[in-house]
Amino acid sequence: MSTNDHRAGVREINLVNRTLKLNTESVKKVREAINEIDRLVGLDSVAYDSDQNLLSVAYDASKVDLTMIEEKLGIFGVEINSGWWTHLKEEYYKFIDQNIKDNAEHTPWSCHRSPPRTKSKRK
């Protein structure tokens, strides 16, 4: 597999990597949440480092966002760390995700493109 191979539905141009510190003592709950997160369309990869309590996810931000991942974690009672640094990163990630989603839906426009020509009526 080359470095450009991704799961179906994931476009590399919209691919983001996120690392989140979790508040949990139960590795079993995190594993269950990961299985649920892994089913999201647009998710490229998800991994958990139990030593440092870090969740790493890579996803297409035009299809998945951090809020969806947080909702899946919440179903299993897994919370993101409430420290100021984690909170700052979380808000930044959400801003970037929304920006990518907005840009993916936007139709590009250029002033260098000629306007459509209309037939003029001369008398």
Side-chain angles (χ1 to χ4, degrees):
M1 196 188 258
S2 76
T3 58
N4 293 332
D5 290 340
H6 302 286
R7 286 186 181 178
V10 176
R11 294 186 58 207
E12 189 167 11
I13 195 162
N14 298 325
L15 186 67
V16 294
N17 295 300
R18 306 291 190 229
T19 303
L20 301 168
K21 186 161 182 68
L22 303 179
N23 280 342
T24 186
E25 298 297 321
S26 173
V27 174
K28 183 181 177 192
K29 286 183 180 181
V30 174
R31 297 284 177 218
E32 291 172 354
I34 285 174
N35 288 335
E36 188 69 26
I37 291 168
D38 203 30
R39 294 183 185 132
L40 290 171
V41 174
L43 190 86
D44 196 40
S45 67
V46 60
Y48 177 64
D49 178 0
S50 58
D51 294 336
Q52 297 183 4
N53 222 14
L54 295 175
L55 179 71
S56 299
V57 292
Y59 56 88
D60 182 333
S62 67
K63 296 184 173 110
V64 177
D65 60 23
L66 193 58
T67 305
M68 289 179 189
I69 292 170
E70 288 175 346
E71 288 171 1
K72 297 290 184 186
L73 290 170
I75 291 170
F76 295 93
V78 178
E79 295 179 356
I80 294 177
N81 187 305
S82 58
W84 71 270
W85 180 245
T86 304
H87 180 68
L88 180 69
K89 284 191 340 180
E90 182 182 6
E91 292 304 313
Y92 176 72
Y93 289 163
K94 288 179 180 179
F95 173 78
I96 296 298
D97 289 355
Q98 186 61 50
N99 194 5
I100 291 171
K101 189 174 282 191
D102 291 344
N103 286 336
E105 295 171 359
H106 179 72
T107 304
W109 182 84
S110 170
C111 61
H112 298 288
R113 214 170 35 181
S114 352
R117 296 184 181 218
T118 58
K119 293 182 181 178
S120 62
K121 295 180 182 180
R122 293 188 178 176
K123 293 185 177 183

